[in-house]
C-alpha cells in the first residue's frame, strides 16, 4: 500500500474525522463508522488534506487536467486546498471552480458558479468527501457540463465506503461510473482502513478492536456488494 494511504488513514483518525461507534446515516442505515470531512478545520489539517487529494489524483488520473470542481458546500474548500497542493507538490497550475446552492443575481460574478469560469475544452476533475448515493453528482454534473463543453476526467473522493448503491448490485461509486462514463477513485477504501487499523501497533487496537471489526463485518454482510 502506498505510504500516503497509510498516512491518510491515521490522519483521518487523528483529526477526529473518521469515527467508530453507532451512527444513523442520512440514508437511515445504522453504521458502525462515520466520516465527517467538515471536521478538518485547522490550517495544518487543510494543507495536509489537499496534499493527500493531490497524491491520489495524480496516482489515478495523472496531471493532464485544467480545473478542480468541488460541489457545494464541502467540495468548495476541497477544490481550493487541492489546487494549492497541485501547485506546491507537482508544479501544476490548475483552476478551481464550485457551484452555488443559490444562484447569485447581481455583480460581475453573477450566476451559479464561483471561482474560475469553465471554458470549452477544459478537462475537469471533480472532488468530493464521500459518495454514498451519487446524489451530489446527479445534481452537479448537469451544472458543470452545461456551463461549457468540458470533459470530466474523473471524480476523486476521500473514502470509498464500499456500500451497495441504490440499484442494489454494485457500489455507489461504480454506479456513478456506469451512469456518467468517467472513473471514480478514492484516496482510500474502507477495506484499506480496516486493514491498517487492524495491524499490530501503538494505539491501533484501541481504535479498531475486535468488537468494532465484527460490527463492520456485519454491516457489510447487510449493505456490502454481494459476491465481493
Amino acid at each position: 500500500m502506498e505510504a500516503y494511504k497509510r498516512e491518510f488513514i491515521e490522519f483521518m483518525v487523528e483529526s477526529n474525522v473518521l469515527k467508530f461507534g453507532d451512527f444513523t446515516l442520512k440514508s437511515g442505515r445504522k453504521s458502525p463508522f462515520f466520516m465527517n470531512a467538515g471536521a478538518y478545520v485547522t490550517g495544518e489539517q487543510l494543507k495536509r488534506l489537499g496534499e493527500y487529494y493531490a497524491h491520489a489524483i495524480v496516482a489515478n488520473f495523472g496531471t493532464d487536467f485544467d480545473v478542480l470542481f468541488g460541489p457545494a458546500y464541502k467540495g468548495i474548500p476541497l477544490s481550493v486546498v487541492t489546487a494549492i497542493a497541485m501547485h506546491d507538490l507537482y508544479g501544476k497550475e490548475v483552476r478551481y471552480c464550485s457551484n452555488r446552492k443559490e444562484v447569485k443575481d447581481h455583480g460581475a460574478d453573477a450566476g451559479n458558479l464561483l471561482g474560475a469560469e469553465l471554458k470549452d475544452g477544459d478537462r475537469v476533475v471533480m472532488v468530493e468527501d464521500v459518495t454514498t448515493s451519487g446524489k451530489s453528482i446527479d445534481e452537479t454534473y448537469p451544472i458543470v457540463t452545461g456551463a461549457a463543453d468540458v470533459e470530466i476526467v474523473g471524480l476523486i473522493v476521500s473514502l470509498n465506503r464500499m456500500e451497495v448503491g441504490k440499484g442494489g448490485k454494485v457500489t455507489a461509486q461504480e454506479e456513478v461510473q456506469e451512469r456518467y462514463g468517467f472513473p471514480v477513485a478514492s484516496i482510500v477504501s474502507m477495506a484499506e482502513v480496516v486493514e491498517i487499523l487492524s495491524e499490530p501497533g501503538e494505539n491501533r487496537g484501541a481504535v479498531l478492536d475486535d468488537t468494532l471489526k465484527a460490527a463492520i463485518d456485519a454491516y457489510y454482510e447487510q449493505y456490502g456488494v454481494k459476491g465481493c
Side-chain angles (χ1 to χ4, degrees):
M1 185 184 298
E2 296 91 332
Y4 77 86
K5 289 180 175 252
R6 288 178 171 270
E7 292 174 8
F8 182 66
I9 291 166
E10 295 178 352
F11 173 61
M12 283 194 293
V13 175
E14 291 167 3
S15 302
N16 209 29
V17 166
L18 180 62
K19 300 180 180 181
F20 297 94
D22 185 14
F23 306 95
T24 300
L25 306 181
K26 186 184 295 185
S27 63
R29 295 175 180 176
K30 300 287 187 180
S31 174
F33 61 93
F34 182 75
M35 197 209 77
N36 174 25
Y40 296 116
V41 294
T42 71
E44 180 187 8
Q45 288 173 336
L46 291 167
K47 180 179 184 295
R48 291 179 64 186
L49 180 63
E51 291 171 349
Y52 290 126
Y53 266 93
H55 285 313
I57 287 170
V58 172
N60 287 279
F61 306 135
T63 60
D64 185 16
F65 64 96
D66 310 291
V67 179
L68 284 162
F69 185 90
Y73 287 103
K74 289 181 181 177
I76 297 174
L78 291 180
S79 61
V80 173
V81 297
T82 305
I84 295 170
M86 287 297 302
H87 174 272
D88 289 348
L89 297 179
Y90 298 102
K92 173 68 177 179
E93 197 74 89
V94 296
R95 314 191 307 275
Y96 98 91
C97 181
S98 295
N99 65 300
R100 291 186 172 97
K101 290 287 189 179
E102 302 82 19
V103 176
K104 185 178 179 182
D105 60 3
H106 62 280
D109 61 342
N112 62 346
L113 297 178
L114 66 141
E117 178 183 356
L118 293 174
K119 304 174 183 178
D120 289 349
D122 276 343
R123 289 170 55 81
V124 179
V125 171
M126 304 180 77
V127 291
E128 276 204 323
D129 56 345
V130 65
T131 296
T132 302
S133 66
K135 181 180 178 182
S136 175
I137 297 301
D138 291 341
E139 294 173 350
T140 55
Y141 180 82
I143 295 173
V144 177
T145 55
D149 183 14
V150 303
E151 176 186 351
I152 307 297
V153 175
L155 165 66
I156 191 83
V157 301
S158 57
L159 176 67
N160 179 2
R161 288 184 60 98
M162 300 176 62
E163 297 172 38
V164 68
K166 291 182 291 186
K169 294 183 178 179
V170 298
T171 66
Q173 288 194 188
E174 290 169 328
E175 285 184 344
V176 171
Q177 290 183 155
E178 293 176 358
R179 187 155 64 245
Y180 294 110
F182 55 75
V184 181
S186 60
I187 302 178
V188 293
S189 69
M190 198 59 206
E192 290 170 324
V193 169
V194 172
E195 176 188 343
I196 294 301
L197 295 184
S198 297
E199 290 179 346
E202 185 179 359
N203 296 327
R204 282 183 174 157
V207 174
L208 191 60
D209 58 22
D210 291 342
T211 300
L212 278 173
K213 286 168 61 180
I216 292 172
D217 288 342
Y219 184 76
Y220 283 111
E221 279 293 320
Q222 184 172 5
Y223 296 118
V225 176
K226 304 306 179 185
C228 293

